[in-house]
Amino acid sequence: MDGQENEQHGTGDETAPEDRRAHRRWRPGTVLRRLGVVLALLVVTLAGVVAGTYAGGHVGTDIGPFRAQLNLSPSLSGGTTVDIPPLGALLLDSHDGPAYLTVELGALDQRRTEALIDDPASISRASQSAVEDVRTGVMRLGLKTLASAVLATLLLAGLVFRDARRTAWAGGLALVVTAGSLGLAAATIRPQAIEEPRYEGLLVNAPAIVGDARRIANDYTKYAEQLQRLVGNVSKLYTTVSALPVVQPSPGTTRVLHVSDMHLNPTGWQLIRTVVEQFNIDVVIDTGDITDWGSEPEASFVGSIGLLKKPYVYIRGNHDSGKTAAAVAAQPNAVVLDNSTTTVAGLTIAGIGDPRFTPDKETSPAGSGLTKVVADQVIGAGEQLAATVKASPKPVNIALVHDPASAGPLSGTCPLVLAGHTHARQVSKLPQVPDKQPTQLFVEGSTGGAGLRGLEGEKPTPLSMSVLYFDQQKLLQAYDDITVGGTGQSQVNLERHIIQDPKKGDRVPVTPTPTRGGPVSPAPNGSPTTATPSPTG
């Protein structure tokens, strides 16, 4: 018996350690500790990758005639910034995250600058190497960032864990994370992004840096050509002593400047003159509200139209009176449209004035919102213009209305409708009429920053205008949205948009417009609850 008991005790002693180890392995405390270690590894790895990227994610390289600095930083959205001090910066939606590339072009040194000035053709030759220079620089940047991220993670893990195995795990994980991030950025590269930049800087530099608007295919050859043009443009700016270079338009391109809702702001005229000169504008289109009250003393404000020395096509807004329209018509270069058409710079343009005259919205019910009565007025104006467009002996390229609520009846009659009134820029398509061409609706912001009322909010209303580029068939092929931060601010934001298929128009959502008998009850601020943006003018 004693032997059997001893044998049983002995057997129990042999299996107990294994049971105890298994039990300890799955105890809640052990599981939490293991999860803590894994979490710590992840945190240390990410911290090491971020620190290593900031510490080593930069290289110096030559890009064409420039000495440039390439910097890589973590990012959720990705993209590229090309800093061109002191001229401004180009922002490109070049790739998806999680890596952001910053390219800072340095100024030319004295000897290289003198050589470029003595031989202007050398600018073109030097820019030819830009594509290969960028590719080589980015490859070096990626390899250096990868090595720096892994090294920083190993050092940090060694200090935190003081364990060789855990440090090795952190280093391997850092390699996978960094290489995967760089690979994702490389796999999502969009070469066409360089053709649709967003420019930030001084307005006078914008056309020279961004260059002319051209449609571009999504292939590397076109990307290389555009990059060479960009480097060439900036080289010319750096080597020009007295005047900025004039960017020549592509053959057959017609440039239209769309302005609206000046509201007596003289700053708007300064901005218009700069854009007309720098962008080589062919015709200016004004969709109304050039004044605030439409009074006779305000008529002198339109005298600046004649100074532009470019065709100026205008329609009356709801703040403009008959006297205002007459003052505009008296300018030698102005054309006032009121349910009529004209042909300017090869473009056939139809326009109609706003049916209302409501300078004081506080005392005029018709100006306080899109009621059914007002809707019938503005829709009726659109119907009148649509009949005029259909009866035109020449196909109409652009139709002008002040209130976008008037645009609905024009769907299918012409490819483009321009409007204002809302003080908020919007690009959309009108609901398409079966068997008719699609019609785009461009609503401009306020070129005058909404006048005095633009200062009532926390921030001034920005000054907005757009440059529209038409091809030889007079179809819209590209447009630049220009925004100045507000009254008293000089920094400008320019966004280039390329229309891939001008016959179909831009890829924008369809926006319904009010229809007779539809729900158009006014909102508290005077905006309709459906269909259109808030009318503030």
Side-chain angles (χ1 to χ4, degrees):
M1 292 292 293
D2 292 341
Q4 292 178 353
E5 289 178 359
N6 290 337
E7 185 177 347
Q8 290 174 357
H9 285 306
T11 303
D13 291 341
E14 290 177 0
T15 58
E18 294 180 3
D19 293 340
R20 284 195 295 270
R21 283 195 296 269
H23 180 66
R24 284 197 302 268
R25 190 180 301 122
W26 297 106
R27 279 190 302 185
T30 303
V31 173
L32 289 176
R33 279 196 298 273
R34 291 178 181 272
L35 289 176
V37 171
V38 172
L39 182 60
L41 272 172
L42 291 174
V43 171
V44 168
T45 298
L46 292 177
V49 168
V50 171
T53 301
Y54 279 115
H58 46 81
V59 297
T61 188
D62 290 325
I63 298 180
F66 297 96
R67 183 64 182 173
Q69 182 76 15
L70 306 183
N71 300 298
L72 203 63
S73 59
S75 169
L76 294 178
S77 58
T80 299
T81 293
V82 182
D83 282 324
I84 315 169
L87 306 177
L90 291 175
L91 284 73
L92 309 174
D93 185 19
S94 58
H95 62 275
D96 295 329
Y100 196 91
L101 176 64
T102 301
V103 181
E104 183 172 345
L105 296 181
L108 304 173
D109 61 44
Q110 183 176 353
R111 285 184 296 179
R112 297 170 79 182
T113 302
E114 291 174 353
L116 291 173
I117 293 175
D118 293 338
D119 182 13
S122 63
I123 292 178
S124 177
R125 290 196 300 269
S127 65
Q128 295 298 315
S129 63
V131 179
E132 185 61 33
D133 294 340
V134 169
R135 181 165 47 194
T136 302
V138 170
M139 288 294 294
R140 288 175 49 216
L141 177 63
L143 292 175
K144 184 181 177 184
T145 302
L146 183 63
S148 178
V150 173
L151 179 59
T153 302
L154 289 172
L155 292 175
L156 183 60
L159 291 174
V160 172
F161 298 121
R162 300 183 183 277
D163 181 271
R165 192 173 69 170
R166 292 178 181 177
T167 300
W169 270 104
L173 190 57
L175 178 63
V176 172
V177 170
T178 308
S181 299
L182 296 176
L184 175 61
T188 56
I189 285 179
R190 289 179 288 272
Q192 75 275 17
I194 198 171
E195 189 68 9
E196 296 185 291
R198 181 161 62 91
Y199 169 78
E200 293 180 351
L202 296 178
L203 179 60
V204 293
N205 298 327
I209 291 177
V210 176
D212 191 35
R214 293 181 182 176
R215 293 181 60 224
I216 191 167
N218 184 11
D219 61 62
Y220 186 78
T221 301
K222 294 295 185 181
Y223 163 78
E225 293 174 359
Q226 182 68 5
L227 179 57
Q228 290 169 9
R229 289 178 60 239
L230 172 61
V231 172
N233 286 343
V234 179
S235 301
K236 291 176 183 177
L237 278 174
Y238 272 115
T239 56
T240 298
V241 178
S242 60
L244 293 173
V246 177
V247 179
Q248 297 298 327
S250 301
T253 298
T254 304
R255 299 179 174 206
V256 174
L257 176 62
H258 180 203
V259 302
S260 192
D261 296 84
M262 291 275 286
H263 289 290
L264 290 179
N265 188 348
T267 305
W269 286 124
Q270 299 172 17
L271 185 60
I272 289 173
R273 283 194 293 270
T274 300
V275 173
V276 165
E277 294 172 2
Q278 296 294 327
F279 286 75
N280 197 19
I281 296 299
D282 296 302
V283 57
V284 180
I285 291 178
D286 186 339
T287 47
D289 276 1
I290 198 171
T291 61
D292 250 339
W293 298 90
S295 62
E296 189 169 348
E298 291 175 282
S300 61
F301 178 74
V302 308
S304 295
I305 292 175
L307 301 178
L308 298 176
K309 299 180 180 179
K310 296 288 183 180
Y312 195 96
V313 181
Y314 162 87
I315 60 169
R316 188 175 52 79
N318 62 296
H319 280 256
D320 302 329
S321 65
K323 294 179 180 178
T324 305
V328 173
Q331 301 303 309
N333 57 325
V335 177
V336 177
L337 297 179
D338 193 8
N339 199 25
S340 55
T341 63
T342 186
T343 299
V344 182
L347 292 166
T348 300
I349 306 170
I352 191 170
D354 196 289
R356 304 159 294 179
F357 177 52
T358 56
D360 186 355
K361 295 194 299 182
E362 298 298 325
T363 59
S364 173
S368 61
L370 196 62
T371 63
K372 290 188 177 182
V373 173
V374 175
D376 286 344
Q377 285 183 301
V378 295
I379 293 171
E383 291 170 345
Q384 293 179 54
L385 185 60
T388 299
V389 171
K390 293 174 183 177
S392 172
K394 293 182 178 180
V396 171
N397 307 115
I398 309 172
L400 312 180
V401 295
H402 177 64
D403 192 330
S406 299
L410 292 161
S411 180
T413 64
C414 61
L416 180 63
V417 177
L418 303 183
H421 187 62
T422 66
H423 300 177
R425 180 183 285 137
Q426 182 183 9
V427 178
S428 60
K429 284 185 178 178
L430 297 175
Q432 188 167 354
V433 177
D435 300 324
K436 297 291 184 179
Q437 62 182 330
T439 299
Q440 296 184 95
L441 172 62
F442 277 50
V443 182
E444 190 54 76
S446 175
T447 306
L452 292 177
R453 67 174 56 82
L455 302 175
E456 295 174 354
E458 294 182 2
K459 295 182 179 179
T461 300
L463 280 62
S464 304
M465 58 180 61
S466 299
V467 178
L468 313 177
Y469 301 87
F470 293 84
D471 60 19
Q472 292 180 339
Q473 288 72 42
K474 306 308 175 186
L475 294 174
L476 186 66
Q477 62 174 340
Y479 58 97
D480 292 338
D481 286 334
I482 301 172
T483 305
V484 177
T487 301
Q489 299 185 21
S490 60
Q491 284 294 105
V492 68
N493 182 296
L494 183 149
E495 293 190 45
R496 165 71 48 85
H497 303 271
I498 300 295
I499 298 177
Q500 301 300 329
D501 189 346
K503 292 183 178 179
K504 294 181 179 179
D506 206 1
R507 296 178 181 177
V508 291
V510 174
T511 298
T513 55
T515 56
R516 292 183 183 273
V520 289
S521 58
N525 67 346
S527 66
T529 56
T530 61
T532 63
S534 304
T536 56

